[in-house]
Amino acid sequence: MRTDWQISRLVNGGYVDMADALREDLEKIIPDPDRIITGEISEEYTKYAHGSLKGSADAVVFPISREEVSGIMKYAWDRKIPVTPRGANTNLTGSTVPLEGGIVLDLSHMNRILEIDEDTLTATVEPGVLLGDFQETVESKGLFYPPDPGEKKASLGGNISTNAGGMRAVKYGVTRDFVRGLEVVFADGSIAELGGKTVKDASGLSLKNLLIGSEGTLAVITKAILRLLPKPECSVSAIAAFDDIQAGIRNVIRILHANTQPTALEFAERSVAAIGENYTGTKFPFPDAGAYILMTFDGDPESVKRNLEKTKDVVFANGAEGFQPLSAEKAAEVWTVRGAFCTAVEAVSEQVPVDIVVPIDRTDKFVKFADQLAEETGLLMATYGHAGDGNIHINIARGNLDDETWKETLSKVLWAVYNETADLSGLPSGEHGIGLTKQKFYRKHADPNAVSVMRSVKDALDKKHILNDHKSYLA
């Protein structure tokens, strides 16, 4: 839909091309022309990386300060120009696809670690800082940032916008649990600071927590204050082997009840592990097992040793075929295989990545359902995930299906997956967000009153609906 800002401007009796006029306006806000793209916009900035979803944009801008972000938002607000925030573009649900043209606000140049405050155990960062770079920097100072999504090239702003989880959530929690404060720019260009370095905050409504996980629909993050921990003295991984995945997952609850405090508890069937092995060229121990639970324990050396021994006793008492602590070198290899599952499937076939979350005592029921669904449809469905918190990932591979058959089969599979999730009292996303790809599934089972409240919040903060509209709860 074209709006008044997209009509060519009349200047000195003649019309100026809209792209030229837009660039002229944007250069008044961002003085560096190399940080503005207009005219022909590359698909790099408009396409979803894991499917055919594609939008369009009239401009891409690369701000380097909150003042520039504010200026862009004020300009867009006055002219009702759609704005789509974007980070490292690792999003898995299409949240960064610009549906209505307008401006793509690429925050990748705001990539500075502004401060590491060892006294308050906080770090202040810009949104474009990459997760892996940040973790490496804080760990070099003896500190620790626990949120650990598999994609280390994701930006911290993107992690906050989707409330990313990862493998260490079972012990440490998710991104929300490590955000102390945010600096944000609202849709009208106004700037607000929410939270801060304090540990506690009972001062008014928690707007900070409202914005975490909002997928860029309510405000643009320009700075974050993140909570840090002292780096654990040691970290040891282990792998347990089982005859089948149900036996493995049932052991997860027993491990948690034994209070062994695992940092990570991941599950994978042998067929999925083999895909990762073939891709990486490294192997899991126990190659004849039907399924695995991969785990990590961290802390002081004595507590780690004690928890490993206790876990070994638990799993052998409950049907494990093998249990092996891993050397640092072998652990790195095994976690590399685990981290490559999604990429490994994509290397052999077009795929649709899915994440759902169910109560942890129903994880085995969902995995059994997914295995049966894969058998019925003949599709490769790589199912694995975070056993300790019930967050399950499924990579649904197209294989050699033609366009029509793939579209029809995929739709049936996705509806079956999300309906089963709801039947098990689960939710359609544990850490990827809703974006575009999950909207219809989310809306079918979401509480309509809750969605209505969400839309009211959107109306209050962005009554013109210019900021990442039509995403998530805004279908």
Side-chain angles (χ1 to χ4, degrees), residues 1-65:
M1 182 177 67
R2 301 310 248 182
T3 54
D4 56 356
W5 65 272
Q6 292 168 312
I7 299 172
S8 297
R9 182 186 300 165
L10 182 64
V11 178
N12 296 327
Y15 284 96
V16 175
D17 179 81
M18 186 272 291
D20 292 340
L22 181 59
R23 170 173 280 278
E24 179 184 326
D25 290 343
L26 294 175
E27 286 183 356
K28 295 174 183 176
I29 304 167
I30 296 180
D32 179 0
D34 290 337
R35 292 191 283 115
I36 302 170
I37 303 172
T38 54
E40 193 72 26
I41 304 297
S42 167
E43 285 189 354
E44 175 187 353
Y45 302 103
T46 62
K47 194 169 185 239
Y48 173 50
H50 295 277
S52 59
L53 285 174
K54 182 182 174 183
S56 64
D58 297 280
V60 182
V61 295
F62 302 87
I64 58 172
S65 69

Short mmCIF file of all heavy atoms in Angstrom, two decimals, residues 1-65:
data_model
loop_
_atom_site.label_atom_id
_atom_site.label_comp_id
_atom_site.label_asym_id
_atom_site.label_seq_id
_atom_site.Cartn_x
_atom_site.Cartn_y
_atom_site.Cartn_z
N MET A 1 0.84 -1.19 0.00
CA MET A 1 0.00 0.00 0.00
C MET A 1 0.87 1.24 0.00
O MET A 1 1.69 1.42 0.89
CB MET A 1 -0.90 0.01 1.24
CG MET A 1 -1.85 1.20 1.30
SD MET A 1 -2.94 1.11 2.74
CE MET A 1 -1.76 1.34 4.06
N ARG A 2 0.70 2.09 -0.97
CA ARG A 2 1.49 3.31 -1.07
C ARG A 2 0.86 4.41 -0.24
O ARG A 2 -0.36 4.54 -0.17
CB ARG A 2 1.60 3.79 -2.52
CG ARG A 2 2.24 2.79 -3.47
CD ARG A 2 3.54 2.25 -2.98
NE ARG A 2 4.65 2.68 -3.78
CZ ARG A 2 5.90 2.31 -3.59
NH1 ARG A 2 6.19 1.50 -2.62
NH2 ARG A 2 6.87 2.76 -4.35
N THR A 3 1.67 5.17 0.44
CA THR A 3 1.17 6.26 1.27
C THR A 3 1.68 7.59 0.75
O THR A 3 2.45 7.65 -0.21
CB THR A 3 1.63 6.06 2.73
OG1 THR A 3 3.04 5.91 2.75
CG2 THR A 3 0.99 4.81 3.32
N ASP A 4 1.26 8.68 1.40
CA ASP A 4 1.57 10.01 0.86
C ASP A 4 3.06 10.28 0.75
O ASP A 4 3.50 11.01 -0.12
CB ASP A 4 0.89 11.09 1.70
CG ASP A 4 1.28 11.02 3.17
OD1 ASP A 4 2.00 10.10 3.55
OD2 ASP A 4 0.84 11.91 3.92
N TRP A 5 3.87 9.65 1.62
CA TRP A 5 5.31 9.90 1.57
C TRP A 5 5.94 9.31 0.32
O TRP A 5 7.05 9.68 -0.07
CB TRP A 5 6.00 9.33 2.81
CG TRP A 5 5.95 7.84 2.90
CD1 TRP A 5 4.97 7.09 3.47
CD2 TRP A 5 6.90 6.91 2.39
NE1 TRP A 5 5.23 5.76 3.35
CE2 TRP A 5 6.43 5.61 2.70
CE3 TRP A 5 8.11 7.03 1.71
CZ2 TRP A 5 7.11 4.47 2.35
CZ3 TRP A 5 8.79 5.88 1.37
CH2 TRP A 5 8.30 4.62 1.69
N GLN A 6 5.25 8.38 -0.34
CA GLN A 6 5.81 7.71 -1.51
C GLN A 6 5.44 8.40 -2.83
O GLN A 6 5.78 7.90 -3.89
CB GLN A 6 5.34 6.26 -1.53
CG GLN A 6 5.93 5.45 -0.37
CD GLN A 6 5.26 4.11 -0.21
OE1 GLN A 6 4.04 4.03 -0.20
NE2 GLN A 6 6.06 3.07 -0.08
N ILE A 7 4.75 9.52 -2.76
CA ILE A 7 4.40 10.26 -3.97
C ILE A 7 5.55 11.20 -4.32
O ILE A 7 6.11 11.87 -3.47
CB ILE A 7 3.11 11.07 -3.75
CG1 ILE A 7 1.95 10.11 -3.44
CG2 ILE A 7 2.79 11.90 -4.98
CD1 ILE A 7 0.68 10.81 -3.03
N SER A 8 5.91 11.22 -5.60
CA SER A 8 7.03 12.06 -6.03
C SER A 8 6.81 13.51 -5.61
O SER A 8 5.69 14.02 -5.61
CB SER A 8 7.18 11.98 -7.55
OG SER A 8 7.51 10.66 -7.94
N ARG A 9 7.87 14.14 -5.22
CA ARG A 9 7.79 15.49 -4.68
C ARG A 9 7.91 16.53 -5.80
O ARG A 9 8.76 16.41 -6.68
CB ARG A 9 8.92 15.67 -3.65
CG ARG A 9 8.93 17.02 -2.97
CD ARG A 9 10.15 17.15 -2.08
NE ARG A 9 10.16 16.13 -1.05
CZ ARG A 9 11.25 15.85 -0.32
NH1 ARG A 9 12.37 16.51 -0.55
NH2 ARG A 9 11.21 14.94 0.61
N LEU A 10 7.06 17.54 -5.74
CA LEU A 10 7.09 18.63 -6.70
C LEU A 10 8.09 19.69 -6.24
O LEU A 10 7.95 20.26 -5.17
CB LEU A 10 5.70 19.26 -6.84
CG LEU A 10 5.55 20.39 -7.85
CD1 LEU A 10 5.81 19.87 -9.26
CD2 LEU A 10 4.14 20.98 -7.77
N VAL A 11 9.14 19.90 -7.03
CA VAL A 11 10.17 20.87 -6.67
C VAL A 11 10.46 21.75 -7.87
O VAL A 11 10.78 21.26 -8.96
CB VAL A 11 11.47 20.14 -6.22
CG1 VAL A 11 12.54 21.18 -5.90
CG2 VAL A 11 11.20 19.27 -5.01
N ASN A 12 10.35 23.10 -7.68
CA ASN A 12 10.65 24.06 -8.74
C ASN A 12 9.94 23.73 -10.05
O ASN A 12 10.53 23.77 -11.14
CB ASN A 12 12.17 24.14 -8.97
CG ASN A 12 12.90 24.65 -7.75
OD1 ASN A 12 12.36 25.48 -7.01
ND2 ASN A 12 14.10 24.16 -7.53
N GLY A 13 8.68 23.36 -9.94
CA GLY A 13 7.89 23.11 -11.13
C GLY A 13 8.08 21.75 -11.76
O GLY A 13 7.43 21.43 -12.75
N GLY A 14 8.94 20.89 -11.18
CA GLY A 14 9.16 19.56 -11.73
C GLY A 14 9.14 18.52 -10.63
O GLY A 14 9.27 18.84 -9.44
N TYR A 15 8.95 17.26 -10.99
CA TYR A 15 8.87 16.20 -10.00
C TYR A 15 10.25 15.57 -9.75
O TYR A 15 11.01 15.35 -10.68
CB TYR A 15 7.89 15.11 -10.46
CG TYR A 15 6.45 15.53 -10.29
CD1 TYR A 15 5.74 16.07 -11.37
CD2 TYR A 15 5.82 15.40 -9.06
CE1 TYR A 15 4.41 16.47 -11.21
CE2 TYR A 15 4.50 15.80 -8.90
CZ TYR A 15 3.79 16.34 -9.97
OH TYR A 15 2.50 16.72 -9.80
N VAL A 16 10.54 15.31 -8.48
CA VAL A 16 11.78 14.65 -8.07
C VAL A 16 11.46 13.18 -7.81
O VAL A 16 10.45 12.85 -7.19
CB VAL A 16 12.35 15.31 -6.80
CG1 VAL A 16 13.57 14.55 -6.30
CG2 VAL A 16 12.70 16.76 -7.07
N ASP A 17 12.30 12.29 -8.29
CA ASP A 17 12.11 10.87 -8.06
C ASP A 17 12.01 10.60 -6.56
O ASP A 17 12.77 11.15 -5.76
CB ASP A 17 13.29 10.09 -8.65
CG ASP A 17 13.16 8.61 -8.41
OD1 ASP A 17 12.42 7.96 -9.16
OD2 ASP A 17 13.79 8.13 -7.46
N MET A 18 11.08 9.72 -6.16
CA MET A 18 10.84 9.45 -4.76
C MET A 18 12.09 8.95 -4.04
O MET A 18 12.40 9.36 -2.93
CB MET A 18 9.70 8.44 -4.61
CG MET A 18 9.24 8.18 -3.17
SD MET A 18 10.18 6.88 -2.36
CE MET A 18 9.61 5.46 -3.29
N ALA A 19 12.86 8.05 -4.69
CA ALA A 19 14.07 7.53 -4.06
C ALA A 19 15.08 8.63 -3.81
O ALA A 19 15.72 8.68 -2.76
CB ALA A 19 14.68 6.43 -4.93
N ASP A 20 15.21 9.54 -4.77
CA ASP A 20 16.14 10.66 -4.59
C ASP A 20 15.67 11.58 -3.47
O ASP A 20 16.47 12.06 -2.65
CB ASP A 20 16.28 11.45 -5.88
CG ASP A 20 16.99 10.66 -6.98
OD1 ASP A 20 17.69 9.70 -6.63
OD2 ASP A 20 16.82 11.01 -8.16
N ALA A 21 14.36 11.83 -3.42
CA ALA A 21 13.82 12.69 -2.38
C ALA A 21 14.00 12.06 -1.00
O ALA A 21 14.34 12.74 -0.03
CB ALA A 21 12.35 12.97 -2.65
N LEU A 22 13.76 10.74 -0.92
CA LEU A 22 13.92 10.04 0.35
C LEU A 22 15.37 10.09 0.81
O LEU A 22 15.66 10.37 1.98
CB LEU A 22 13.45 8.60 0.19
CG LEU A 22 13.52 7.70 1.43
CD1 LEU A 22 12.68 8.27 2.56
CD2 LEU A 22 13.06 6.28 1.09
N ARG A 23 16.30 9.84 -0.10
CA ARG A 23 17.72 9.91 0.26
C ARG A 23 18.09 11.30 0.74
O ARG A 23 18.81 11.46 1.74
CB ARG A 23 18.59 9.51 -0.93
CG ARG A 23 20.09 9.79 -0.72
CD ARG A 23 20.94 9.24 -1.83
NE ARG A 23 21.16 7.82 -1.68
CZ ARG A 23 22.08 7.28 -0.88
NH1 ARG A 23 22.88 8.05 -0.16
NH2 ARG A 23 22.23 5.98 -0.81
N GLU A 24 17.60 12.32 0.06
CA GLU A 24 17.89 13.70 0.45
C GLU A 24 17.43 13.95 1.88
O GLU A 24 18.14 14.57 2.68
CB GLU A 24 17.19 14.65 -0.52
CG GLU A 24 17.40 16.12 -0.21
CD GLU A 24 16.61 17.01 -1.14
OE1 GLU A 24 16.45 16.65 -2.33
OE2 GLU A 24 16.15 18.07 -0.67
N ASP A 25 16.24 13.47 2.21
CA ASP A 25 15.73 13.65 3.57
C ASP A 25 16.56 12.87 4.59
O ASP A 25 16.88 13.37 5.67
CB ASP A 25 14.27 13.19 3.65
CG ASP A 25 13.32 14.10 2.90
OD1 ASP A 25 13.72 15.25 2.60
OD2 ASP A 25 12.19 13.67 2.62
N LEU A 26 16.89 11.62 4.26
CA LEU A 26 17.62 10.77 5.20
C LEU A 26 19.03 11.29 5.46
O LEU A 26 19.56 11.15 6.57
CB LEU A 26 17.66 9.34 4.68
CG LEU A 26 16.31 8.61 4.62
CD1 LEU A 26 16.46 7.24 3.97
CD2 LEU A 26 15.71 8.47 6.01
N GLU A 27 19.64 11.90 4.45
CA GLU A 27 21.00 12.43 4.64
C GLU A 27 21.03 13.63 5.58
O GLU A 27 22.09 13.99 6.09
CB GLU A 27 21.61 12.80 3.28
CG GLU A 27 22.02 11.57 2.46
CD GLU A 27 22.69 11.94 1.15
OE1 GLU A 27 22.78 13.14 0.84
OE2 GLU A 27 23.14 11.00 0.44
N LYS A 28 19.88 14.21 5.84
CA LYS A 28 19.81 15.27 6.85
C LYS A 28 19.88 14.69 8.26
O LYS A 28 20.21 15.40 9.21
CB LYS A 28 18.52 16.08 6.67
CG LYS A 28 18.45 16.85 5.36
CD LYS A 28 17.09 17.52 5.19
CE LYS A 28 16.99 18.23 3.85
NZ LYS A 28 15.64 18.81 3.61
N ILE A 29 19.55 13.41 8.37
CA ILE A 29 19.57 12.73 9.67
C ILE A 29 20.85 11.92 9.84
O ILE A 29 21.48 11.94 10.91
CB ILE A 29 18.34 11.81 9.80
CG1 ILE A 29 17.05 12.60 9.59
CG2 ILE A 29 18.33 11.10 11.15
CD1 ILE A 29 15.83 11.73 9.38
N ILE A 30 21.24 11.22 8.79
CA ILE A 30 22.47 10.42 8.78
C ILE A 30 23.41 11.06 7.76
O ILE A 30 23.23 10.88 6.55
CB ILE A 30 22.17 8.95 8.42
CG1 ILE A 30 21.28 8.32 9.50
CG2 ILE A 30 23.46 8.15 8.28
CD1 ILE A 30 20.91 6.88 9.24
N PRO A 31 24.42 11.80 8.21
CA PRO A 31 25.24 12.60 7.30
C PRO A 31 26.18 11.79 6.41
O PRO A 31 26.72 12.32 5.45
CB PRO A 31 26.02 13.51 8.24
CG PRO A 31 26.07 12.78 9.54
CD PRO A 31 24.78 12.02 9.63
N ASP A 32 26.37 10.51 6.73
CA ASP A 32 27.28 9.67 5.96
C ASP A 32 26.49 8.95 4.86
O ASP A 32 25.70 8.04 5.16
CB ASP A 32 27.95 8.66 6.89
CG ASP A 32 28.90 7.72 6.17
OD1 ASP A 32 29.05 7.85 4.93
OD2 ASP A 32 29.49 6.85 6.84
N PRO A 33 26.66 9.31 3.60
CA PRO A 33 25.87 8.68 2.53
C PRO A 33 26.13 7.18 2.38
O PRO A 33 25.30 6.46 1.84
CB PRO A 33 26.30 9.44 1.27
CG PRO A 33 27.62 10.05 1.61
CD PRO A 33 27.57 10.34 3.07
N ASP A 34 27.28 6.71 2.87
CA ASP A 34 27.58 5.28 2.78
C ASP A 34 26.71 4.45 3.73
O ASP A 34 26.68 3.22 3.63
CB ASP A 34 29.06 5.03 3.09
CG ASP A 34 29.98 5.55 2.00
OD1 ASP A 34 29.50 5.70 0.86
OD2 ASP A 34 31.15 5.81 2.29
N ARG A 35 26.03 5.13 4.65
CA ARG A 35 25.16 4.42 5.59
C ARG A 35 23.68 4.54 5.22
O ARG A 35 22.80 4.35 6.05
CB ARG A 35 25.41 4.90 7.02
CG ARG A 35 26.78 4.51 7.55
CD ARG A 35 26.95 4.75 9.03
NE ARG A 35 27.17 6.15 9.37
CZ ARG A 35 26.32 6.88 10.08
NH1 ARG A 35 25.18 6.37 10.51
NH2 ARG A 35 26.60 8.15 10.36
N ILE A 36 23.45 4.84 3.97
CA ILE A 36 22.08 4.92 3.45
C ILE A 36 22.04 4.21 2.10
O ILE A 36 22.88 4.43 1.24
CB ILE A 36 21.63 6.39 3.25
CG1 ILE A 36 21.70 7.16 4.57
CG2 ILE A 36 20.21 6.44 2.68
CD1 ILE A 36 21.49 8.66 4.40
N ILE A 37 21.06 3.33 1.92
CA ILE A 37 20.84 2.68 0.64
C ILE A 37 19.42 3.01 0.19
O ILE A 37 18.46 2.82 0.95
CB ILE A 37 20.99 1.15 0.73
CG1 ILE A 37 22.37 0.76 1.27
CG2 ILE A 37 20.76 0.50 -0.63
CD1 ILE A 37 22.51 -0.73 1.56
N THR A 38 19.28 3.52 -1.01
CA THR A 38 17.97 3.74 -1.60
C THR A 38 17.97 3.18 -3.03
O THR A 38 19.01 2.76 -3.53
CB THR A 38 17.59 5.23 -1.63
OG1 THR A 38 18.63 5.96 -2.30
CG2 THR A 38 17.42 5.79 -0.23
N GLY A 39 16.82 3.22 -3.67
CA GLY A 39 16.74 2.70 -5.03
C GLY A 39 16.58 1.20 -5.03
O GLY A 39 15.69 0.65 -4.38
N GLU A 40 17.46 0.51 -5.73
CA GLU A 40 17.40 -0.95 -5.81
C GLU A 40 17.95 -1.54 -4.52
O GLU A 40 19.14 -1.40 -4.21
CB GLU A 40 18.21 -1.44 -7.00
CG GLU A 40 17.99 -2.90 -7.36
CD GLU A 40 16.63 -3.14 -7.99
OE1 GLU A 40 16.07 -2.20 -8.59
OE2 GLU A 40 16.14 -4.28 -7.87
N ILE A 41 17.09 -2.21 -3.74
CA ILE A 41 17.49 -2.76 -2.45
C ILE A 41 17.75 -4.25 -2.59
O ILE A 41 16.90 -5.01 -3.08
CB ILE A 41 16.40 -2.53 -1.38
CG1 ILE A 41 16.05 -1.04 -1.28
CG2 ILE A 41 16.84 -3.08 -0.04
CD1 ILE A 41 17.18 -0.16 -0.84
N SER A 42 18.92 -4.70 -2.16
CA SER A 42 19.30 -6.11 -2.26
C SER A 42 18.37 -6.99 -1.42
O SER A 42 17.88 -6.58 -0.36
CB SER A 42 20.74 -6.29 -1.77
OG SER A 42 21.05 -7.65 -1.56
N GLU A 43 18.16 -8.22 -1.91
CA GLU A 43 17.37 -9.20 -1.15
C GLU A 43 17.99 -9.49 0.22
O GLU A 43 17.30 -10.01 1.11
CB GLU A 43 17.24 -10.50 -1.94
CG GLU A 43 16.27 -10.44 -3.09
CD GLU A 43 16.02 -11.82 -3.68
OE1 GLU A 43 16.70 -12.78 -3.26
OE2 GLU A 43 15.15 -11.93 -4.56
N GLU A 44 19.25 -9.20 0.37
CA GLU A 44 19.90 -9.39 1.67
C GLU A 44 19.13 -8.71 2.79
O GLU A 44 19.12 -9.18 3.93
CB GLU A 44 21.32 -8.83 1.60
CG GLU A 44 22.09 -8.85 2.91
CD GLU A 44 23.42 -8.12 2.82
OE1 GLU A 44 23.80 -7.72 1.70
OE2 GLU A 44 24.06 -7.95 3.87
N TYR A 45 18.46 -7.61 2.46
CA TYR A 45 17.77 -6.83 3.47
C TYR A 45 16.26 -7.04 3.47
O TYR A 45 15.55 -6.47 4.30
CB TYR A 45 18.05 -5.33 3.27
CG TYR A 45 19.52 -5.01 3.31
CD1 TYR A 45 20.23 -4.77 2.13
CD2 TYR A 45 20.21 -4.99 4.51
CE1 TYR A 45 21.59 -4.49 2.17
CE2 TYR A 45 21.57 -4.72 4.55
CZ TYR A 45 22.26 -4.47 3.37
OH TYR A 45 23.60 -4.21 3.41
N THR A 46 15.75 -7.85 2.57
CA THR A 46 14.30 -7.98 2.44
C THR A 46 13.79 -9.41 2.51
O THR A 46 12.58 -9.62 2.58
CB THR A 46 13.82 -7.38 1.09
OG1 THR A 46 14.42 -8.11 0.00
CG2 THR A 46 14.19 -5.91 0.99
N LYS A 47 14.69 -10.39 2.50
CA LYS A 47 14.26 -11.79 2.38
C LYS A 47 14.51 -12.55 3.67
O LYS A 47 15.49 -12.31 4.39
CB LYS A 47 15.01 -12.47 1.23
CG LYS A 47 14.40 -13.79 0.81
CD LYS A 47 15.00 -14.29 -0.50
CE LYS A 47 14.30 -15.55 -0.96
NZ LYS A 47 15.14 -16.69 -1.10
N TYR A 48 13.62 -13.48 3.93
CA TYR A 48 13.75 -14.41 5.05
C TYR A 48 14.73 -15.50 4.66
O TYR A 48 14.64 -16.09 3.59
CB TYR A 48 12.37 -14.98 5.36
CG TYR A 48 12.30 -16.09 6.37
CD1 TYR A 48 12.92 -15.98 7.61
CD2 TYR A 48 11.58 -17.25 6.11
CE1 TYR A 48 12.84 -16.98 8.55
CE2 TYR A 48 11.48 -18.26 7.04
CZ TYR A 48 12.11 -18.13 8.26
OH TYR A 48 12.03 -19.13 9.19
N ALA A 49 15.66 -15.80 5.55
CA ALA A 49 16.76 -16.70 5.22
C ALA A 49 16.34 -18.16 5.09
O ALA A 49 17.04 -18.96 4.49
CB ALA A 49 17.86 -16.58 6.26
N HIS A 50 15.16 -18.53 5.65
CA HIS A 50 14.79 -19.95 5.70
C HIS A 50 13.51 -20.25 4.93
O HIS A 50 12.75 -21.13 5.30
CB HIS A 50 14.64 -20.40 7.15
CG HIS A 50 15.92 -20.36 7.92
ND1 HIS A 50 16.85 -21.37 7.87
CD2 HIS A 50 16.44 -19.41 8.72
CE1 HIS A 50 17.89 -21.05 8.63
NE2 HIS A 50 17.67 -19.88 9.16
N GLY A 51 13.25 -19.53 3.87
CA GLY A 51 12.06 -19.79 3.09
C GLY A 51 11.87 -18.75 2.00
O GLY A 51 12.78 -17.97 1.70
N SER A 52 10.69 -18.74 1.44
CA SER A 52 10.43 -17.87 0.29
C SER A 52 9.87 -16.51 0.68
O SER A 52 9.60 -15.70 -0.19
CB SER A 52 9.45 -18.58 -0.65
OG SER A 52 8.24 -18.88 0.04
N LEU A 53 9.65 -16.27 1.97
CA LEU A 53 9.12 -14.97 2.39
C LEU A 53 10.04 -13.84 1.94
O LEU A 53 11.24 -13.87 2.19
CB LEU A 53 8.97 -14.93 3.91
CG LEU A 53 7.82 -15.70 4.54
CD1 LEU A 53 7.92 -15.65 6.04
CD2 LEU A 53 6.48 -15.15 4.08
N LYS A 54 9.46 -12.85 1.30
CA LYS A 54 10.24 -11.73 0.81
C LYS A 54 9.41 -10.46 0.89
O LYS A 54 8.24 -10.46 0.55
CB LYS A 54 10.70 -11.97 -0.63
CG LYS A 54 11.57 -10.88 -1.20
CD LYS A 54 11.93 -11.18 -2.65
CE LYS A 54 12.68 -10.03 -3.29
NZ LYS A 54 12.97 -10.27 -4.72
N GLY A 55 10.03 -9.38 1.33
CA GLY A 55 9.37 -8.09 1.38
C GLY A 55 10.00 -7.13 0.41
O GLY A 55 10.62 -7.52 -0.59
N SER A 56 9.85 -5.87 0.71
CA SER A 56 10.46 -4.82 -0.12
C SER A 56 10.81 -3.65 0.79
O SER A 56 10.25 -3.50 1.88
CB SER A 56 9.50 -4.37 -1.21
OG SER A 56 8.34 -3.76 -0.63
N ALA A 57 11.74 -2.85 0.34
CA ALA A 57 12.15 -1.68 1.12
C ALA A 57 12.45 -0.53 0.18
O ALA A 57 12.89 -0.74 -0.96
CB ALA A 57 13.37 -2.00 1.98
N ASP A 58 12.20 0.67 0.65
CA ASP A 58 12.54 1.87 -0.12
C ASP A 58 13.87 2.46 0.33
O ASP A 58 14.48 3.23 -0.41
CB ASP A 58 11.43 2.91 0.04
CG ASP A 58 10.11 2.41 -0.52
OD1 ASP A 58 9.94 2.48 -1.75
OD2 ASP A 58 9.27 1.92 0.26
N ALA A 59 14.30 2.07 1.53
CA ALA A 59 15.59 2.54 2.03
C ALA A 59 16.08 1.60 3.11
O ALA A 59 15.28 0.98 3.83
CB ALA A 59 15.49 3.96 2.57
N VAL A 60 17.40 1.47 3.21
CA VAL A 60 18.05 0.81 4.34
C VAL A 60 18.99 1.82 4.96
O VAL A 60 19.77 2.46 4.25
CB VAL A 60 18.84 -0.44 3.89
CG1 VAL A 60 19.46 -1.13 5.10
CG2 VAL A 60 17.96 -1.40 3.12
N VAL A 61 18.89 1.99 6.27
CA VAL A 61 19.76 2.94 6.96
C VAL A 61 20.53 2.23 8.06
O VAL A 61 20.05 1.26 8.64
CB VAL A 61 18.96 4.13 7.54
CG1 VAL A 61 18.32 4.95 6.43
CG2 VAL A 61 17.90 3.66 8.53
N PHE A 62 21.73 2.73 8.33
CA PHE A 62 22.63 2.12 9.31
C PHE A 62 23.00 3.17 10.35
O PHE A 62 24.07 3.80 10.27
CB PHE A 62 23.88 1.59 8.63
CG PHE A 62 23.62 0.57 7.56
CD1 PHE A 62 23.36 0.95 6.24
CD2 PHE A 62 23.64 -0.79 7.86
CE1 PHE A 62 23.12 0.01 5.26
CE2 PHE A 62 23.39 -1.74 6.87
CZ PHE A 62 23.13 -1.34 5.58
N PRO A 63 22.15 3.41 11.33
CA PRO A 63 22.47 4.42 12.35
C PRO A 63 23.63 3.96 13.23
O PRO A 63 23.89 2.76 13.38
CB PRO A 63 21.18 4.52 13.15
CG PRO A 63 20.53 3.18 12.99
CD PRO A 63 20.87 2.74 11.60
N ILE A 64 24.29 4.94 13.85
CA ILE A 64 25.38 4.61 14.79
C ILE A 64 25.17 5.25 16.15
O ILE A 64 26.04 5.17 17.02
CB ILE A 64 26.75 5.05 14.22
CG1 ILE A 64 26.78 6.56 13.92
CG2 ILE A 64 27.11 4.24 12.98
CD1 ILE A 64 28.15 7.08 13.54
N SER A 65 24.00 5.85 16.38
CA SER A 65 23.73 6.47 17.68
C SER A 65 22.23 6.49 17.93
O SER A 65 21.42 6.36 17.00
CB SER A 65 24.26 7.91 17.70
OG SER A 65 23.50 8.73 16.83
#
